[in-house]
Every structure is written in C-alpha cells, then in structure tokens.
Amino acid sequence: MPLIDTFGRAVTYLRVSVTDRCDFRCVYCMAEHMTFLPKPELLTLEELDRLCSAFVVRGVKKLRLTGGEPLVRRDVMTLFRSLSRHLDSGALEELTLTTNGSQLARFAGDLAACGVKRINVSLDTLDPAKFRALTRWGDLSKVLAGIDAAQNAGIHVKLNAVALAGNEAEIPALIEWAHGRGMDVSLIEVMPLGETGAERLDQYLPLSTVRARLAERWTLEDIPFRTGGPARYVSIKETGGRLGFITPLTHNFCEGCNRVRVTCTGTLYMCLGQDDAADLRTPLRASESDETLHTALDDAIFRKPKGHDFVIDRPGRPPALRRHMSVTGG
C-alpha cells in the first residue's frame, strides 16, 4: 500500500541523510566546533539500502541522499550503485543528492554511471573570500571544479543558495553565472534549526524582499515548473533561466508536502519543522523480514502533521528546533 497521510498527501519523496559529518561549517547550518555521532550509531550502507528499498516498495519515486555532506561517507558509491537497481526496474524515477560540491570532481563520473541525472549543489557566493567566511573551511575552487566535472559528466546541476542578510548583493551575480551555464538556482530562507553561534534574526532575509528587489532589475514571470520539491519558480526574461524560491517562513509549502526525511541513525522525521520522529533502526534490526518495518512506517505516516510553524521574530530567540539541519539532512 502507498504511504498516504491523514490529510490525503502521498509520500513519494524521501530524503535520507547518510552522515551527519561535513567538511564545511556553514554559518547558517553548523556550529564551528561540532560533536558528531559515533560511527557505530550510524546505519550501515547495507541497512540504508534496505531502508530506502522499503520506501520504494511503498511508492516513493524520488530518492535524495543528503548529509551533512553525503560524499564524505566512506564507500558511499556502493550505496548509489546498489540503489540504482530501482532505476533500472522503473520502481524509482529519480536518484539524486544534495552536496556542497567539494568532492564532486572525484565522484561525478561514478554518479552519472549510477543513473544520477540531476544534483543540487549548495553555493552562496562566487567570491572566494566570502565563500571561505560563510563555510568557515571551504575552498571555492574545489566546488567550481566539481560543478565542471558534473556538467561534463552530463549531470544537470541546480544551485541552492541560502538568502542571508549581508550577503544579498551576491545573489544577482550568482544567478547570472548559473543561468549562463544552463543551471537553475533556488533561493532558500534561513531556517531556525540548531545552535550555530550566530543570531538567527541577524541572518534572516525574507525572500519576499529579495524577489521585489530582483524584479526591479529583471522581468520575473511565474511558471508552473516543479521538480518535486517545495520551490516555486519564476523565469527571468533577461537571463533565460529559472529561479526558485523556497520560503519556509514567509510562505510555508506544507499543503502539498510529499516528503519525509530519515537520518543516518534511522530516525524518521515526518516534518522538517517538528520534533516528532519515529525510530526505524530498531524494527530494521529486529528481523530480517521487513514486516515490522512497514508497520512502523504506517504508524509514522499516520502522525505526519499538517504543517510547521517556523518563527524568527526577536533577538535572542532560541532555534525552533535544537537539532542541526545537517542531522536531518540539509
């Protein structure tokens, strides 16, 4: 039976974090000095394969591997190769990932060989110094080389950029550069997840403001284009490209939510903006049969909430949720 929640929404999109570790420390995502999970607590690659496959059996058509940074997980290509069998069978329509691009030059060819046709790369600026400041540890040249490698391998690249107060001036140049290379861009409002050592209200830049300012520069036209995620797209007449807006604060996208997220420890979050979660690791390890696992999935999807309520409204307000975005798969 397909996974349908009590509001009639079918879950067809699964995001799976394969690691909470990352080789960057982006200021809106992580604290500079993070404590990561002990490796024995993580699902093995074989367990991740079995878990993803159980979702595919239940009607998931789009599978995105995330982190942290998914490509820093040792032997992660073994998982991609195994999951690609669901593409071959037609059970899965898309296997993809979100990455910071640091390891793409190394893995782009292998990803393409596994049937990965489209990826998201997180990139907030083309200025090397600002990139270093935002990521704390990142090297822009490696990311650009990774994007080159992905495009050369025939993979369509979409850029994700977090809209940050103080960094707004970087957005037009990033859009022009991306559209000049045939890449879409999605802008994302900063989300109040986890302590990062920065004041959220100082970081927050409403995308309604960004769109209004971009409309003074370019001609924006709403279009019905969708990729299965929450972005609402416009076309830009002058650049010939598409621009998406992901607005969890100014306009949440919950009414059509078709997504759930699983962490690298097997915890299922039915909503990014809620704390309610289901343990899938225990039923996964309890039996070689998936019967108990499917029962746990049914119980969890029954509890999927109607929506989230992220709020950033005053200085000193703690994050809406204590867990970092990297834990849930961002």
Side-chain angles (χ1 to χ4, degrees):
M1 295 290 291
L3 296 169
I4 300 177
D5 68 15
T6 55
F7 303 97
R9 300 171 300 190
V11 175
T12 58
Y13 180 4
L14 174 66
R15 298 174 61 107
V16 179
S17 173
V18 298
T19 179
D20 64 330
R21 296 172 186 266
C22 187
D23 48 354
F24 291 178
R25 297 290 183 273
C26 295
V27 297
Y28 49 80
C29 182
M30 288 184 169
E32 185 167 8
H33 303 289
M34 293 286 293
T35 300
F36 294 111
L37 294 166
K39 290 184 179 180
E41 291 189 18
L42 273 61
L43 295 182
T44 66
L45 295 177
E46 292 77 13
E47 288 172 331
L48 285 166
D49 183 350
R50 183 178 160 201
L51 186 59
C52 291
S53 299
F55 275 94
V56 172
V57 167
R58 301 298 298 274
V60 162
K61 297 297 183 182
K62 178 176 179 178
L63 176 58
R64 180 179 297 277
L65 301 189
T66 69
E69 169 48 49
L71 296 181
V72 302
R73 173 85 189 244
R74 185 175 181 180
D75 295 327
V76 71
M77 290 310 305
T78 302
L79 179 60
F80 276 99
R81 293 186 191 99
S82 183
L83 290 173
S84 69
R85 72 188 186 278
H86 298 303
L87 293 173
D88 296 337
S89 72
L92 191 64
E93 294 176 358
E94 184 175 33
L95 174 62
T96 184
L97 76 153
T98 295
T99 173
N100 64 27
S102 66
Q103 308 296 316
L104 260 183
R106 179 181 166 198
F107 289 113
D110 289 337
L111 289 168
C114 291
V116 175
K117 300 183 183 301
R118 190 172 65 90
I119 63 174
N120 290 355
V121 176
S122 299
L123 181 62
D124 303 315
T125 178
L126 295 172
D127 183 294
K130 291 181 179 178
F131 182 84
R132 182 74 173 187
L134 286 172
T135 62
R136 294 191 178 106
W137 295 4
D139 182 343
L140 179 61
S141 65
K142 291 183 179 180
V143 175
L144 298 183
I147 291 172
D148 287 341
Q151 290 194 307
N152 290 338
I155 298 173
H156 179 75
V157 178
K158 188 192 80 169
L159 299 187
N160 286 343
V162 176
L164 294 170
N167 198 51
E168 186 179 0
E170 303 299 305
I171 294 175
L174 188 66
I175 293 171
E176 288 180 324
W177 178 79
H179 287 180
R181 298 185 52 146
M183 296 185 288
D184 295 338
V185 180
S186 283
L187 303 178
I188 308 170
E189 288 177 335
V190 66
M191 299 185 201
L193 296 174
E195 296 286 359
T196 64
E199 175 58 61
R200 292 293 188 186
L201 192 58
D202 292 341
Q203 293 181 331
Y204 177 51
L205 177 62
L207 283 184
S208 54
T209 300
V210 174
R211 175 168 177 160
R213 290 173 182 168
L214 291 176
E216 295 173 359
R217 173 189 294 259
W218 292 318
T219 305
L220 309 184
E221 180 184 356
D222 290 307
I223 57 175
F225 176 76
R226 294 288 186 271
T227 62
R232 294 176 171 87
Y233 281 87
V234 300
S235 64
I236 301 180
K237 180 179 179 180
E238 291 78 2
T239 65
R242 290 184 294 239
L243 175 65
F245 296 92
I246 300 177
T247 53
L249 287 104
T250 55
H251 183 277
N252 76 43
F253 32 76
C254 303
E255 67 277 1
C257 182
N258 62 341
R259 299 170 297 286
V260 292
R261 298 166 185 258
V262 175
T263 73
C264 53
T265 61
T267 300
L268 170 65
Y269 285 97
M270 292 72 79
C271 174
L272 175 64
Q274 302 283 358
D275 269 328
D276 188 27
D279 171 25
L280 300 183
R281 183 174 62 183
T282 297
L284 187 68
R285 293 178 173 176
S287 170
E288 293 184 2
S289 166
D290 287 342
E291 182 177 351
T292 305
L293 176 60
H294 284 296
T295 298
L297 287 179
D298 288 331
D299 292 342
I301 300 305
F302 182 80
R303 305 201 311 267
K304 184 173 169 62
K306 187 174 183 179
H308 69 261
D309 292 299
F310 284 144
V311 178
I312 301 177
D313 61 359
R314 63 178 183 271
R317 185 186 184 98
L321 299 171
R322 290 292 178 184
R323 70 178 186 273
H324 288 85
M325 188 69 174
S326 60
V327 172
T328 319

